[in-house]
Amino acid sequence: MNRAVFVSLLIYALLLGALLTLHGELLTLIIPLGLYLLFGFLRGPEEMRLEVTRRLSTERALPETPVQVSVTILNRGSALEEVLLEDILPARLIVLDGSTRSLVMLPAGASHVLEYSVSGPRGGYVFEALSAKASDHFGVLEREVRVETGNQLFIFPPVNRLRHITIRPRHTRVYAGSIPARAAGEGIEFFGVRTYQPGDSSRAINWRVSARHDQELFSNEYQQERASDVGIVLDGRLRTNMLGHGRSLFEYSVQAAASLADAFLAQGNRVGLLLYANFLSWTLPAYGKVQRERILQALARAQPGDSRVFSALEHIPTRLFPPESQIVVVSPLTEDDVMPLMELRALGYQVMTISPDPVSLEMSYLPASPTVEMARRVVSMERELLLQQLRRTGVQVLDWNVSQPFDLAILQRLGRPPGWLQAIGR
Amino acid sequence: MSVIVMIISIIAATGALTWGYAAVGLLVVARWFVVISVLWLLAQSQRWNWFGSLALLVSVAASAIGLWYGLLPSLMVVGAVGALIGWDLGNFRQRMRFAAPTDDLRGIEMRHLARVSIVAALAIVIAAISIFLKVRIPFELAVILALVGTLGLTRLAAWLQRENQV
């Protein structure tokens, strides 16, 4: 109950008591209570006018990295005798140092600074508001305001720098890039030999072939290297990501998707991202650093989820991806996912699957016993069959043991040295 | 500092009531005030925040009944004022828990104690004067005063509630 109302009720009861008993001395007890109310009422806060500025040491951080937050509150209104300032933290952020609240006296024109540091898991966080609760010293009259601020903090997934990833989409774009385009032109990789054309560089003449022919010269042709469209599909279904003991493969998938997006964009490709969870979240394909930022923000906010509609991969909206482009599916995979991936292949897409291995992750925390070992062998065989089935249909598959760093796994299985390294024979 | 003042206030309030009731032979009632005193102090350490309001209600009611019975008025007034200060400081300590360690806790505490002391001193002085002078109010005037007071208090309570909702 409000303190003022409580004290008022006491006074009211004493008044009634005095009246009913016709005993004037009872009114004496009203004096302390009345004075208390009066003092509180006279010194109560007026309308609050606060100006709040929040500064973050960085707006983009890595998981569990401390971020310094400084909130300056300037009182533009009348003096506040006692004000409780509380910066409302987004859920899941943890205060490492300092405090998000402060009880202060704030004279007119004065300012107060709240300083603290936070950290948290991957996510997109919005600091929505600062709450200020002012009262007189007795707490009789209270006023509360929320000052909206709206700063954002993105905690991105860690990005492993991947140097080279071999992809061979059937269709490339017209812009120069690093993907062999199955067409002759300027490039580094050997493509074929044709008769010498005026204007060909003398360095392009293939003297060995020319020596075998009279009166005719032949030139080497190189494969054009172009940019391509790459669509990354991140599988966020709970049924594929959640393992026993509350463990999840989703963080590994997010990390892989972030590293892949970074690498493909660095190679000059046009990259889009589709999060396939309880709903579809689509980041439109684009080039460059701005797109990298967009994809990392989408990945920071990505959460796993389940829905009946998207329980299998069959609802991947293929129209979002340009025909014959490269699709990279990051998914732990289940038996039901083979057919949808085969269908993607049948539609002409070049499909690559990065599959974080659930078996190796589960084995890392299960106690060693003959039963567990037997179960591991059975499940591993089932998984190997599933991956083989995919490979037979032309899907490029990377079975990723998550205990191994992603960049190392990629380098071993999908790495391709750039043309200039190949040219010098290294 | 506020803790010490709060404990002294609680003991003074319940002590005054105990003394007042024991002086006229109502020992059973007096013992109950000792129990309330112990429970109130225990409630403060256990953070039973609701108990302070209950204790204030009981103390004011006991003071009123004591005055009606003709017990020593000074003790009854001390009982009510002490309970009011004890209740206020209990709430103040509750609010102070929200403060950060870096806040000027001592400054806030001292300002609060100064305000409470002024209210207590003024209340005791005015109450003492009213007891000493024994101003007799005719019944008709008392009724009018009561009605005006009631109306004013009701309006005040309604206004405060409206303000808090805004």
Side-chain angles (χ1 to χ4, degrees), chain A residues 56 59-61 63 89-93 120-128 151-157 296-303:
Chain A
L56 307 177
E59 290 181 349
R60 291 158 189 80
L89 269 193
R92 300 200 298 153
L93 281 187
R122 176 185 59 81
Y125 302 97
V126 180
F127 291 81
E128 282 179 354
N151 296 67
Q152 277 195 325
L153 170 66
F154 282 101
I155 298 189
F156 288 152
L296 286 180
Q297 286 189 7
L299 287 172
R301 285 189 290 255
Q303 293 299 327

Side-chain angles (χ1 to χ4, degrees), chain A residues 305-363:
Chain A
D306 253 343
S307 82
R308 282 189 182 176
V309 180
F310 301 118
S311 62
L313 288 179
E314 64 201 9
H315 293 294
I316 289 180
T318 48
R319 287 184 186 180
L320 293 175
F321 306 106
E324 301 190 331
S325 63
Q326 175 77 46
I327 296 179
V328 181
V329 181
V330 184
S331 167
L333 294 175
T334 62
E335 282 178 10
D336 314 339
D337 301 334
V338 176
M339 273 311 286
L341 294 179
M342 282 164 66
E343 280 167 15
L344 284 178
R345 278 292 293 151
L347 286 168
Y349 292 104
Q350 196 70 31
V351 181
M352 178 195 282
T353 305
I354 309 290
S355 183
D357 181 11
V359 184
S360 58
L361 181 65
E362 286 213 79
M363 283 303 292

Side-chain angles (χ1 to χ4, degrees), chain A residues 7-33:
Chain A
V7 177
S8 303
L9 282 175
L10 280 179
I11 296 173
Y12 183 58
L14 285 170
L15 264 175
L16 271 181
L19 191 64
L20 290 173
T21 58
L22 293 177
H23 206 286
E25 277 188 328
L26 292 190
L27 297 173
T28 316
L29 296 178
I30 294 175
I31 294 165
L33 298 170

